Amino acid sequence: MRAKTAARLVREASGSEMTSPLILASRSRSRADLLRQAGVEIEIAPALVDETAVKAGMAAEGAAARDVADTLAEFKARRVSAREPGRVVLGADQVLVCEGRMLDKPQDLAEAREHLAFLRGKTHELLSAAVIYELGAPVWRHVGRAQMMARPFSDGFLDDYIAGQGDALLDTVGAYRLEAGGAQLFTRVQGDYFSVLGLPLLEVLGFLRTRGLCRE
């Protein structure tokens, strides 16, 4: 019989084995799909966090992009955990930084085009943070990284890409979806593929196994 983790033995001894699904404190369809496709049962409970204000405040303090992503992920997990303290809650956030500039999700297709034109021919970094709360406190965190090298695509290609993808581009930092045609924008990707999609999935799954929320 496979040995049980120490964490599970403690929970079983105390009669507190967790059977409730993981709560995802995010409205990201990509993150939800990644977890479900990996076999994780989830409930979605988006956290109301003023991300723009948090980013602006941290940028004014000179915070590193990694810390911004981690802080936003924790704020989301904390907000939902306050309502569901007995549950395991996952908060996540993604930050894109290029030449010292942090990009948010575009507000419209015109801004999406501006973002992609800015990234063209450059290398940028994606940081995908995940923070897990349990019993109202943070118990695990990780920040995944990926470097994206955009090719010097033409204006014509850019216009066709935006027309083909449409409003779906507004749901992603950087205004591209690597899994849905966005690969055409790049010459090379280094780092964690799942972090490009918005979640350091393998590391998250590793922790969830210790809580019985993912098969060992």
Side-chain angles (χ1 to χ4, degrees):
M1 180 181 294
R2 183 178 299 175
K4 295 183 178 180
T5 64
R8 177 165 292 189
L9 288 171
V10 170
R11 291 196 307 277
E12 290 181 352
S14 63
S16 59
E17 178 72 5
M18 295 185 179
T19 57
S20 298
L22 171 74
I23 296 180
L24 175 62
S26 169
R27 60 171 53 90
S28 167
R29 181 179 303 174
S30 177
R31 292 185 185 116
D33 287 345
L34 284 174
L35 289 164
R36 286 173 174 147
Q37 289 165 8
V40 180
E41 185 180 358
I42 63 172
E43 292 179 9
I44 297 176
L48 299 178
V49 175
D50 189 342
E51 297 185 31
T52 300
V54 173
K55 289 180 180 179
M58 295 190 72
E61 297 173 356
R66 181 197 181 283
D67 295 334
V68 173
D70 180 76
T71 297
L72 285 168
E74 178 158 2
F75 278 1
K76 294 175 183 179
R78 181 192 303 167
R79 183 66 58 85
V80 175
S81 184
R83 303 196 303 262
E84 299 280 357
R87 302 282 297 279
V88 178
V89 180
L90 169 63
D93 198 80
Q94 186 181 62
V95 169
L96 184 159
V97 60
C98 181
E99 297 183 341
R101 177 183 174 187
M102 282 192 288
L103 297 184
D104 295 321
K105 294 177 182 178
Q107 297 299 306
D108 52 38
L109 291 181
E111 188 172 39
R113 191 184 194 286
E114 188 276 323
H115 285 185
L116 289 169
F118 170 69
L119 297 174
R120 177 168 46 191
K122 302 173 183 175
T123 296
H124 66 268
E125 186 173 40
L126 283 173
L127 301 107
S128 291
V131 176
I132 292 180
Y133 263 60
E134 184 179 20
L135 300 178
V139 294
W140 181 88
R141 65 201 324 125
H142 180 79
V143 178
R145 295 174 178 267
Q147 284 190 324
M148 316 288 292
M149 284 138 273
R151 68 183 182 88
F153 44 81
S154 67
D155 285 342
F157 175 86
L158 177 56
D159 290 336
D160 289 344
Y161 177 73
I162 292 174
Q165 295 293 318
D167 288 345
L169 298 178
L170 307 184
D171 294 330
T172 177
V173 173
Y176 58 81
R177 297 189 299 156
L178 195 67
E179 73 280 17
Q184 288 275 15
L185 298 165
F186 300 97
T187 58
R188 192 175 182 186
V189 176
Q190 289 183 314
D192 179 31
Y193 171 74
F194 294 111
S195 287
V196 178
L197 304 185
L199 189 70
L201 180 64
L202 300 184
E203 291 79 7
V204 169
L205 294 177
F207 178 82
L208 294 181
R209 292 187 192 102
T210 72
R211 295 302 190 264
L213 295 172
C214 187
R215 294 192 65 176
E216 294 190 48

